[in-house]
Structure formats: C-alpha cells, structure tokens
Amino acid sequence: AQTVTQSQPEMSVQEAETVTLSCTYDTSENNYYLFWYKQPPSRQMILVIRQEAYKQQNATENRFSVNFQKAAKSFSLKISDSQLGDTAMYFCAFVSYGGATNKLIFGTGTLLAVQP
Amino acid sequence: GAGVSQSPSNKVTEKGKDVELRCDPISGHTALYWYRQSLGQGLEFLIYFQGNSAPDKSGLPSDRFSAERTGGSVSTLTIQRTQQEDSAVYLCASSWTVRNEKLFFGSGTQLSVL
C-alpha cells in the first residue's frame, strides 16, 4: 500500500526565519509525483510545489524549495523568509502513474504558525 | 467558471437524513475527485471520475455513499441516512485529465450531522 507520513502535527516559526516541514512516503512504484499543498482557513487547497520522481534536481518556487531524497523516500519542504501569510495547514501528497488509479494520497498535514 | 465551485458551503443536518453535495468543476476538466477531510485528519480519497464514469470508487466508506457525474461536468455526492461520523469537510477537485497531476480544489462543504 502507498502511504504518506507527516510526523509533525504542528510547527511554529518566527517571521522572516526558515522552517522545514518533513514528509516521508512508501511506494514500490518508480514513476510518481510528489506535492506540497497549502490549506489556509478558507479551506481551499493551493498547490505550493511539485516534484517529478525521475528528476534529481530539487524543485524550487520562489521562497519554497524541497529536499527530495528518493532512496530514503523523503520529501521535505523548506520555506525561507517566512511570512505571516504562510500560516496554514500544509499537506504532502503523492500520486503514482504506474498503478491502477491516479488518485492523490495525502499525509495528515502539518499546521504551520508564523509568529510576528 | 473561474474555479471549482462547491455548494452548499455549509450544511447542517439531522442524523438519518439524506444530503446532496454538489461540485461544479472547471470547464473542460475531464477528471473530478471527491475527498473527505475529518477534523485533525488528512484528506481521505472517496471517488474519482473520468468523464461520467467512475473507475475508482474504492474510497467510498459504505453503501450509504454514492456519487454521479452527468454531462462530464457537475458531480453530486449523496450521503443517505447520515450518521454523526459523516461530519467532515467534503472537498472536490478537478483536472484536465487523470494524468494531469495539477488538481484544482474547491473550498469544500462543511457537513455537520447532529
């Protein structure tokens, strides 16, 4: 079975500082994507960043970057220069395109609070 | 429309009643997904549609749950004889195809079963 694990239920960071959110996953597939989604109080999930498993280079999107360790099945999110608007629930997600279905599998989330 | 639209935004119902939740995906998106988010939990996959067919219904918790999609557009998730454990946020998402990994989510329906 494919699983996604986020071991940090809550995190806190000071404005302008850097924070790293952890995510591990388990799969026997070789062809997959990994994502980080942000869910603010409005409930709407917003895609933050994605990583194709076949790419060795870590994805970056402005202040957001990932550390993708394929052998260790680890996919952490680093947020640099944290802003108050980054306060939200963050979900790590996985989808395999080698399986029978293409549904995203989500972790349980990390609630990030950015303190002024 | 400009985004994925879900209605109602909030629904309060009594135990044992039936409810219908609606999802209007982005125009042209052929893939549509339903997820359930319970308090303190991640997103639990329920069902997805490719066009009007549902290749994967494996996440539906019981036979009280059903979903349909008509005209390759609007989808309705129906919960019959609601129970208190059905209380959750029900999220809908759509994408151009099932192999397009970028999902666009709606703001969900908060269902409260009293």
Side-chain angles (χ1 to χ4, degrees):
Chain A
Q2 295 159 341
T3 58
V4 177
T5 302
Q6 293 178 252
S7 59
Q8 304 154 315
E10 295 183 23
M11 295 274 291
S12 181
V13 64
Q14 292 296 125
E15 198 174 6
E17 307 247 309
T18 296
V19 63
T20 299
L21 308 184
S22 301
C23 173
T24 58
Y25 60 95
D26 189 23
T27 183
S28 57
E29 300 287 340
N30 203 42
N31 184 19
Y32 53 88
Y33 287 82
L34 293 159
F35 309 86
W36 280 97
Y37 277 88
K38 169 185 177 181
Q39 186 181 41
S42 67
R43 297 197 307 237
Q44 187 163 31
M45 301 280 282
I46 301 165
L47 178 64
V48 174
I49 198 167
R50 72 179 188 190
Q51 174 81 41
E52 293 94 332
Y54 65 87
K55 288 188 177 178
Q56 292 188 334
Q57 186 173 8
N58 289 324
T60 61
E61 285 288 340
N62 301 312
R63 297 183 295 109
F64 299 87
S65 62
V66 299
N67 183 2
F68 174 46
Q69 301 289 329
K70 190 173 183 179
K73 296 191 172 100
S74 170
F75 183 62
S76 61
L77 175 69
K78 185 170 83 171
I79 306 174
S80 304
D81 185 25
S82 297
Q83 300 175 359
L84 296 178
D86 295 334
T87 292
M89 183 74 87
Y90 287 81
F91 291 96
C92 179
F94 163 99
V95 64
S96 165
Y97 289 119
T101 64
N102 298 311
K103 62 194 181 194
L104 258 66
I105 299 169
F106 287 85
T108 52
T110 296
L111 181 60
L112 176 66
V114 180
Q115 308 291 345
Chain B
V4 178
S5 177
Q6 290 190 248
S7 60
S9 178
N10 292 281
K11 176 72 177 177
V12 180
T13 190
E14 294 179 351
K15 179 181 170 182
K17 300 278 191 184
D18 297 352
V19 295
E20 284 189 354
L21 312 180
R22 176 189 170 105
C23 173
D24 203 340
I26 292 172
S27 179
H29 280 194
T30 62
L32 185 149
Y33 302 78
W34 283 100
Y35 284 85
R36 178 168 73 173
Q37 183 177 19
S38 303
L39 191 62
Q41 302 293 316
L43 276 71
E44 175 189 5
F45 168 80
L46 298 178
I47 186 171
Y48 92 89
F49 290 89
Q50 173 59 38
N52 291 335
S53 64
D56 189 351
K57 306 178 184 179
S58 63
L60 294 177
S62 72
D63 58 10
R64 296 186 296 105
F65 288 72
S66 63
E68 65 174 13
R69 188 179 186 195
T70 55
S73 182
V74 172
S75 176
T76 302
L77 177 68
T78 302
I79 308 173
Q80 295 178 309
R81 305 181 302 281
T82 52
Q83 312 270 317
Q84 288 184 332
E85 60 263 28
D86 298 335
S87 295
V89 173
Y90 290 81
L91 289 166
C92 175
S94 68
S95 65
W96 287 107
T97 70
V98 292
R99 296 196 68 82
N100 184 320
E101 71 285 0
K102 184 169 174 65
L103 295 191
F104 295 81
F105 282 83
S107 296
T109 294
Q110 171 75 64
L111 175 66
S112 300
V113 182
L114 304 179

